[in-house]
Amino acid sequence: DGGITQSPKYLFRKEGQNVTLSCEQNLNHDAMYWYRQDPGQGLRLIYYSQIVNDFQKGDIAEGYSVSREKKESFPLTVTSAQKNPTAFYLCASNGGSRDGEQFFGPGTRLTVL
Amino acid sequence: GQSLEQPSEVTAVEGAIVQINCTYQTSGFYGLSWYQQHDGGAPTFLSYNALDGLEETGRFSSFLSRSDSYGYLLLQELQMKDSASYFCAVRIAMDTGRRALTFGSGTRLQVQP
């Protein structure tokens, strides 16, 4: 079955530690995205990548970093510079066949203690 | 920048019809998408309108008026399982020229028996 996987589902970290969230897709999609969602809010774009070895900052990139070394993988690192990292993080991909359709992973709920 | 407006909450009864409106202000507009998200889950794609008019998919329909910067999602024959948050999202050209989605804050739909 094709899809997007994110791990882990729940993650706890101490303040000041960097943490990397995993996102893998086997849909053969070129474009991948990272969003942050706070309780009762919409999704805000952190970073996006249209192709391997290329990525751009979204609306709230400060305190985050990404890499895109493989088409299937788009890991997100939440650094200690991110002031309020506790949130629900969602990874998505788009294959271009239907422009406005993105496929989402199950999300990682990060809590910084 | 971009802005999207949609009602924060809507309540309806089982079997009824409900319309969720979305108005937007943005540049580089390509189209309007709708997503459904159940509590604790990931968003799932419902529809995408690039051209003016009505798109129908089963019990759900979506409408777009580009001249009015307005769209809506119409849910018919409401079922209890339709209780969820619904997000409109505009497909836009970012500063990089690449395309991405900007999401609204979401409308929480409660379906009552």
Side-chain angles (χ1 to χ4, degrees):
Chain A
D1 286 339
I4 301 179
T5 57
Q6 292 184 243
S7 61
K9 190 172 179 64
Y10 299 94
L11 189 56
F12 297 87
R13 279 293 182 269
K14 291 183 179 180
E15 196 172 342
Q17 290 181 331
N18 290 358
V19 60
T20 297
L21 310 184
S22 166
C23 177
E24 303 280 331
Q25 55 101 358
N26 60 3
L27 299 168
N28 200 33
H29 286 170
D30 285 317
M32 296 186 74
Y33 308 84
W34 273 106
Y35 295 93
R36 169 185 172 134
Q37 188 176 33
D38 294 288
Q41 301 297 314
L43 283 69
R44 292 185 289 168
L45 183 64
I46 304 172
Y47 267 97
Y48 61 106
S49 168
Q50 300 287 345
I51 199 167
V52 174
N53 292 322
D54 183 52
F55 50 82
Q56 285 77 40
K57 294 181 179 180
D59 299 318
I60 56 164
E62 186 175 346
Y64 300 97
S65 65
V66 294
S67 63
R68 187 83 187 277
E69 297 176 0
K70 298 187 300 182
K71 186 175 186 177
E72 301 79 17
S73 179
F74 191 39
L76 173 75
T77 297
V78 184
T79 75
S80 57
Q82 167 52 231
K83 300 298 182 197
N84 185 18
T86 295
F88 188 41
Y89 290 89
L90 288 154
C91 179
S93 72
N94 170 262
S97 59
R98 191 157 43 175
D99 204 22
E101 180 176 13
Q102 290 185 1
F103 295 82
F104 283 83
T108 293
R109 198 167 296 276
L110 173 64
T111 302
V112 176
L113 307 171
Chain B
Q2 307 92 36
S3 70
L4 293 92
E5 295 286 335
Q6 54 181 128
S8 58
E9 284 190 23
V10 173
T11 301
V13 298
E14 231 177 339
I17 299 172
V18 72
Q19 179 174 312
I20 300 173
N21 298 320
C22 175
T23 57
Y24 59 88
Q25 287 186 319
T26 187
S27 56
F29 177 84
Y30 285 99
L32 184 69
S33 296
W34 288 93
Y35 286 80
Q36 179 193 62
Q37 185 181 32
H38 288 97
D39 285 346
T44 56
F45 173 81
L46 294 176
S47 68
Y48 177 67
N49 294 67
L51 303 174
D52 287 358
L54 190 69
E55 295 273 347
E56 298 182 66
T57 308
R59 295 188 296 115
F60 294 1
S61 303
S62 58
F63 172 83
L64 175 67
S65 169
R66 295 174 70 110
S67 60
D68 295 324
S69 298
Y70 164 76
Y72 65 74
L73 179 69
L74 191 72
L75 297 84
Q76 302 183 72
E77 300 173 18
L78 280 174
Q79 301 175 10
M80 297 298 291
K81 68 178 181 179
D82 297 329
S83 292
S85 291
Y86 293 84
F87 295 89
C88 61
V90 289
R91 183 77 164 163
I92 61 168
M94 303 291 280
D95 292 342
T96 57
R98 294 171 172 84
R99 302 185 187 186
L101 285 177
T102 295
F103 284 78
S105 298
T107 298
R108 189 169 183 86
L109 171 64
Q110 291 194 350
V111 180
Q112 297 178 338

